[in-house]
Amino acid sequence: MIQTPYLLFLGDAPDQLAAKVAQGIRDWRPENAIGQFRMEGCKADMKLPDMTLAEARAAGAKTLVIGVANRGGVISPAWKKVLVQALEEGFDLASGLHNLLADEPDLVAVAAATGQALHDVRVPEVDYPIANGVKRSGKRCLAVGTDCSVGKMYTALAMDREMQARGMKSTFRATGQTGILITGDGVPLDAVVADFMAGAVEWLSPDNDPDHWDLIEGQGSLFHVSYSGVTMALIHGGQPDALILAHEPTRDHMRGLPGYTLPGLEDLRDMALTLARVANPACEVVAISVNTQHMSEDEAAAYLADVEARMGLPATDPFRFGAGKLVDALAAIG
Amino acid sequence: MIQTPYLLFLGDAPDQLAAKVAQGIRDWRPENAIGQFRMEGCKADMKLPDMTLAEARAAGAKTLVIGVANRGGVISPAWKKVLVQALEEGFDLASGLHNLLADEPDLVAVAAATGQALHDVRVPEVDYPIANGVKRSGKRCLAVGTDCSVGKMYTALAMDREMQARGMKSTFRATGQTGILITGDGVPLDAVVADFMAGAVEWLSPDNDPDHWDLIEGQGSLFHVSYSGVTMALIHGGQPDALILAHEPTRDHMRGLPGYTLPGLEDLRDMALTLARVANPACEVVAISVNTQHMSEDEAAAYLADVEARMGLPATDPFRFGAGKLVDALAAIG
């Protein structure tokens, strides 16, 4: 569990896209982001107050989050001075980079000396159990994609926000690095040892109130040969009551897999539902979330209308048109 | 890669079943088993020559394999003296126990001093890649089960033996602890980090001759919520050309999951084939392997005849009736 609120470290980000972890925190948990720390030459801007370490500490910030990714995911020497100083001034550090904080001897030494924590969110901090398949109370929703990186995390976060606004009980459950940094906790599922994947998802989404929804962050795709095992563990460990199908209509092949075409939404619906009903016979596919970023507004509206008619399910792009339809679909079965 | 041949350490095994790892080596790779080492009170017997460490070394044994499991998978103090002496006399040690050799300081110290290797086959020794999905040459067969522990490893080993006897090109590819100890190498798939599972299976089964079959050891079940992600990685990383359905007809629930009923063979066929064709559109379900150990011979024969008629596929129990039918089915599509 990472202590909030954060100071967002943008370093020397060459552009806004390099700071997408910071952007995710800013967009989805603005209350966790007290300010930003930018070095000379930084081209990213979260429209947050620029703060020194001391100013951010005085304002209550507890953790300096590395909100920027370098090429290769390394911790640059240029950042080191700031990171060391942050530890000395009482910050914990949190990072989702491939290059672990724990593999940097100087940071480890200063953290030990100052008693501050180093959080590498790529590394599981818990010994997860083997899944037991026992039915849990409360309700769960999982987005499953025709491919990786089609907007499953965004869909869950947008639904969570909408549900909070409506006074519904919901919790976003992070399963990836960005999601964990946004919310401060979760399971880095792609780094969990195979035997414990489904158990980690059970652990992440425990018994809850009958009218509470966990919105479990999806990963991978049942049809993506590199990561399908992770998706499977989410479906069986998550015991979802509701599945949302997630799709990006303009791809000509699976992400990173030239020659692999995307499945149809019907294929995804049938496969995911059959598998989900092994763990939860009451599971239903309730709606479709479409990432229309590469379509004009007219194209998007026409595509969504067509999908709704074809699939007999509500369909929307939660980024473009809001998550209302998706939450309505959950409420209808809740 | 574990050096062969082995001396099989049976320790103080309370019965034959406790030495099932040794039994697997004895049954499937007798050429790897030069002799057995039994301590006082040992109730297991592999019908191999009883040898002292010195006798086994003189006969060419290179590795002492712990072929017995204690309650709790621990390395008992009673064994320690033998294990230390074995290292001193020039043996490597290999173990599939939960209690790792590498976690025993005395063994680590002696291994370092003598230059001998400690092989914990529960721990991956390779940095596996992320799966790339690229089609590989050669052919692959995978057994998929309606449940865990229905005879998938046995099926692959029996087919391998039959194919060797027929002069066909085949290799058994181990993915679990017992399989790795039997053959001396493989991938401990249940211990691999989630993101690399499918890549580990690709690594295990590389390009090969067009008429060569890899017989990949199956794990878990698509319908077993604790381990289904591992099975998925085998299907997508393995790119099987042929699937064998494996089943044990007398179970009343999934192993370790009270309340979860087993799927039908039709359910398994449809689910596994649809998923396998994502990675290999030419994949076929070719035969059914039934574990009939809890049926009389008449019951077994009647059940197999019924399954053949119902499923339109050859069905046999390779332990009881030989793997000939299964290999015929492979040869028919090879």
Side-chain angles (χ1 to χ4, degrees):
Chain A
M1 186 107 186
I2 304 167
Q3 289 202 79
T4 54
Y6 304 150
L7 174 63
L8 301 182
F9 178 76
L10 307 187
D12 45 6
D15 53 38
Q16 194 75 3
L17 196 62
K20 69 176 183 176
V21 167
Q23 189 72 54
I25 298 167
R26 173 74 171 99
D27 287 348
W28 295 109
R29 290 291 184 275
E31 69 276 20
N32 284 352
I34 278 193
Q36 62 187 9
F37 186 102
R38 299 193 292 170
M39 293 167 58
E40 198 172 306
C42 180
K43 300 285 199 307
D45 183 1
M46 298 299 130
K47 314 284 189 210
L48 288 168
D50 284 295
M51 290 183 173
T52 64
L53 295 170
E55 286 166 353
R57 279 295 288 161
K62 296 197 168 65
T63 302
L64 183 73
V65 172
I66 299 183
V68 55
N70 266 346
R71 195 183 293 261
V74 300
I75 295 169
S76 100
W79 299 355
K80 267 294 180 61
K81 199 177 146 193
V82 181
L83 302 183
V84 167
Q85 195 186 340
L87 290 168
E88 289 170 347
E89 297 195 14
F91 285 90
D92 293 341
L93 300 183
S95 163
L97 298 175
H98 273 287
N99 179 172
L100 303 183
L101 299 169
D103 287 341
E104 298 295 309
D106 46 355
L107 296 180
V108 171
V110 178
T114 57
Q116 300 304 130
L118 302 178
H119 296 284
D120 285 302
V121 298
R122 284 183 186 272
V123 181
E125 294 184 339
V126 173
D127 285 332
Y128 302 111
I130 286 176
N132 63 24
V134 175
K135 175 76 179 158
R136 308 190 294 284
S137 56
K139 294 196 169 286
R140 286 155 195 87
C141 175
L142 175 69
V144 290
T146 52
D147 193 3
C148 299
S149 306
V150 292
K152 296 184 296 295
M153 179 183 81
Y154 191 100
T155 297
L157 284 163
M159 291 175 71
D160 183 41
R161 176 172 289 172
E162 173 71 14
M163 292 171 84
Q164 299 287 325
R166 293 189 190 185
M168 297 171 71
K169 295 182 191 169
S170 70
T171 309
F172 170 77
R173 299 293 189 184
T175 63
Q177 282 77 36
T178 304
I180 295 171
L181 287 173
I182 288 174
T183 58
D185 63 3
V187 168
L189 193 58
D190 62 7
V192 172
V193 163
D195 249 3
F196 305 99
M197 293 186 298
V201 180
E202 290 187 348
W203 177 93
L204 179 68
S205 171
D207 281 323
N208 216 317
D209 296 343
D211 58 344
H212 177 277
W213 282 94
D214 270 343
L215 301 160
I216 301 173
E217 182 190 352
Q219 296 291 338
S221 164
L222 290 170
F223 294 85
H224 194 294
V225 298
S226 308
Y227 307 114
S228 52
V230 180
T231 313
M232 185 67 122
L234 281 159
I235 290 175
H236 280 166
Q239 301 180 347
D241 300 275
L243 294 172
I244 306 263
L245 309 181
H247 186 50
E248 203 282 66
T250 68
R251 300 231 175 125
D252 60 0
H253 64 76
M254 299 289 282
R255 191 175 167 89
L257 299 176
Y260 282 79
T261 54
L262 272 69
L265 283 165
E266 292 87 348
D267 300 320
L268 174 62
R269 175 195 62 201
D270 295 345
M271 176 65 66
L273 190 58
T274 304
L275 288 167
R277 286 183 170 168
V278 171
N280 184 351
C283 184
E284 298 284 352
V285 174
V286 299
I288 301 168
S289 177
V290 181
N291 178 341
T292 64
Q293 66 178 316
H294 297 300
M295 304 169 107
S296 72
E297 187 145 338
D298 283 354
E299 282 172 337
Y303 181 85
L304 291 168
D306 178 65
V307 163
E308 290 199 336
R310 203 178 93 214
M311 301 290 292
L313 290 168
T316 194
D317 179 337
F319 182 80
R320 204 161 197 168
F321 304 112
K325 271 195 185 182
L326 306 179
V327 173
D328 290 346
L330 272 201
I333 70 160
Chain B
M1 186 107 184
I2 304 167
Q3 289 203 78
T4 55
Y6 304 150
L7 175 63
L8 301 182
F9 177 76
L10 308 187
D12 45 6
D15 52 39
Q16 194 75 4
L17 196 63
K20 69 177 184 175
V21 167
Q23 191 71 55
I25 297 168
R26 173 73 171 100
D27 288 347
W28 295 109
R29 291 291 184 277
E31 69 276 20
N32 284 352
I34 277 192
Q36 63 187 8
F37 186 102
R38 299 193 292 172
M39 293 167 57
E40 199 173 304
C42 180
K43 300 284 198 311
D45 183 2
M46 298 300 130
K47 315 285 188 208
L48 288 168
D50 284 295
M51 291 183 173
T52 65
L53 295 171
E55 287 165 353
R57 280 294 289 160
K62 297 198 168 64
T63 302
L64 183 73
V65 173
I66 299 183
V68 56
N70 266 344
R71 194 184 293 262
V74 301
I75 295 170
S76 98
W79 299 355
K80 268 293 179 62
K81 198 177 147 192
V82 181
L83 302 183
V84 166
Q85 194 185 341
L87 289 168
E88 289 169 347
E89 297 196 14
F91 285 90
D92 293 340
L93 300 183
S95 164
L97 298 175
H98 274 286
N99 179 173
L100 302 184
L101 300 170
D103 287 341
E104 297 295 308
D106 47 354
L107 296 180
V108 171
V110 178
T114 58
Q116 299 306 130
L118 302 179
H119 296 284
D120 285 303
V121 299
R122 284 184 186 272
V123 181
E125 295 184 339
V126 173
D127 284 332
Y128 303 110
I130 286 176
N132 63 25
V134 174
K135 174 76 180 157
R136 308 190 293 284
S137 55
K139 294 195 170 286
R140 286 155 196 87
C141 175
L142 174 70
V144 290
T146 51
D147 193 3
C148 299
S149 306
V150 291
K152 296 183 297 293
M153 181 183 80
Y154 191 101
T155 298
L157 284 162
M159 291 176 71
D160 183 41
R161 176 172 288 172
E162 173 71 14
M163 293 172 83
Q164 299 287 324
R166 295 188 189 186
M168 297 171 71
K169 295 182 191 168
S170 70
T171 309
F172 170 77
R173 302 292 189 184
T175 62
Q177 282 78 35
T178 304
I180 295 171
L181 288 172
I182 288 173
T183 59
D185 62 3
V187 168
L189 194 57
D190 62 8
V192 172
V193 164
D195 249 3
F196 304 99
M197 293 185 300
V201 181
E202 291 187 348
W203 176 92
L204 179 69
S205 172
D207 282 322
N208 216 316
D209 296 343
D211 58 345
H212 177 279
W213 282 93
D214 270 342
L215 301 160
I216 302 173
E217 182 190 352
Q219 296 293 338
S221 164
L222 290 170
F223 294 85
H224 194 294
V225 298
S226 308
Y227 308 115
S228 53
V230 180
T231 313
M232 184 68 122
L234 281 159
I235 290 175
H236 280 166
Q239 301 180 347
D241 300 275
L243 293 172
I244 307 262
L245 309 182
H247 186 50
E248 204 281 67
T250 69
R251 299 228 176 129
D252 60 1
H253 64 76
M254 299 287 284
R255 192 175 167 90
L257 298 176
Y260 282 78
T261 55
L262 273 70
L265 283 165
E266 293 86 347
D267 300 320
L268 175 62
R269 174 194 64 202
D270 295 345
M271 176 65 66
L273 190 59
T274 304
L275 287 167
R277 286 184 171 168
V278 171
N280 184 352
C283 185
E284 298 284 352
V285 175
V286 299
I288 301 168
S289 177
V290 182
N291 179 341
T292 65
Q293 65 177 317
H294 298 300
M295 304 169 107
S296 72
E297 186 145 340
D298 283 352
E299 282 172 338
Y303 181 84
L304 290 168
D306 178 64
V307 163
E308 289 199 336
R310 201 178 93 215
M311 302 290 292
L313 290 168
T316 193
D317 179 337
F319 181 79
R320 204 162 197 166
F321 304 113
K325 271 195 185 182
L326 306 179
V327 173
D328 291 346
L330 271 201
I333 70 160

